[in-house]
Amino acid sequence: TFTTNLTAGSQTVCLNTAATTLTVAAAAGNTYQWYSNATNSNTGGTLISGATSGTFTPPTNVAGTTYYYAVITNTTTGCTATSNVRGVIVLPELAITTQPDSTPQNLCVNSTGPTLTVTATGATTYQWSYSNLATGGTITAVAGATSATYTIPTTAAFATRYYFVTVSNGTCSVASSQRTPVTVNANPTFTTNPAASTQTVCFNT
């Protein structure tokens, strides 16, 4: 039996960073062998060559989820016991592969606003924001705009805003897209309007 077993669940790490070492322990007279698995199971895994001690540090050079467990074998009886399963999630490298359209948008109140779209590999969170400047400036996060697409609202007029999205990869990295300038103009109003009445005139007068 194991005197120290793996904690069920998983750990999440960034690509090419150190994962927490997995540790099991058993009484003297047992040998150790670690296995990896593509599924959350401690059967049917692949033997990891050379992983024959009570500790094993999972590799993190490939993105994805891998599950690990250990098997101990009693050197006298040949009987075996299998540990719990511990998953290791390696997050992929973050990269924006498709930028939002940066064409300036000059709109009117209540017109159809454009939908901005970003494609980012490895992104786990999205946040759309706007600034008052093309670079830097005062940043305002748009409440609820947390998906890969965002449709510009046109219900009220506003001076030029520069919209962009910030994507993140857990705690690994953050990237911001290029900015799209958007202006929503007020619709014209009459200062003088025809009187709401009817006049009667003679023909050709």
Side-chain angles (χ1 to χ4, degrees):
T1 59
F2 288 91
T3 56
T4 300
N5 207 332
L6 294 177
T7 302
S10 62
Q11 61 170 302
T12 300
V13 296
C14 303
L15 189 70
N16 292 322
T17 61
T20 300
T21 298
L22 307 180
T23 301
V24 294
N30 291 283
T31 62
Y32 299 87
Q33 178 60 61
W34 289 88
Y35 292 81
S36 64
N37 208 345
T39 60
N40 188 6
S41 173
N42 62 359
T43 61
T46 300
L47 183 147
I48 303 173
S49 178
T52 55
S53 72
T55 60
F56 175 71
T57 302
T60 62
N61 60 321
V62 177
T65 302
T66 305
Y67 299 91
Y68 298 94
Y69 62 92
V71 175
I72 55 173
T73 302
N74 185 286
T75 56
T76 300
T77 66
C79 297
T80 63
T82 304
S83 73
N84 296 331
V85 179
R86 181 72 174 171
V88 177
I89 303 168
V90 180
L91 298 175
E93 185 175 358
L94 181 67
I96 295 177
T97 55
T98 303
Q99 295 279 354
D101 184 5
S102 62
T103 303
Q105 302 290 319
N106 196 29
L107 310 170
C108 298
V109 168
N110 293 326
S111 62
T112 301
T115 297
L116 304 179
T117 301
V118 68
T119 303
T121 58
T124 56
T125 65
Y126 301 82
Q127 178 60 62
W128 290 89
S129 304
Y130 62 84
S131 173
N132 61 328
L133 298 175
T135 303
T138 301
I139 307 300
T140 302
V142 180
T146 55
S147 70
T149 61
Y150 177 63
T151 301
I152 304 297
T154 62
T155 53
F158 54 78
T160 303
R161 295 175 177 174
Y162 296 85
Y163 282 89
F164 64 97
V165 63
T166 300
V167 295
S168 66
N169 187 0
T171 58
C172 298
S173 55
V174 176
S176 292
S177 71
Q178 63 189 14
R179 299 186 180 190
T180 303
V182 179
T183 306
V184 177
N185 301 289
N187 293 322
T189 58
F190 290 94
T191 55
T192 302
N193 219 330
S197 62
T198 301
Q199 60 174 310
T200 302
V201 297
C202 298
F203 187 66
N204 287 330
T205 61

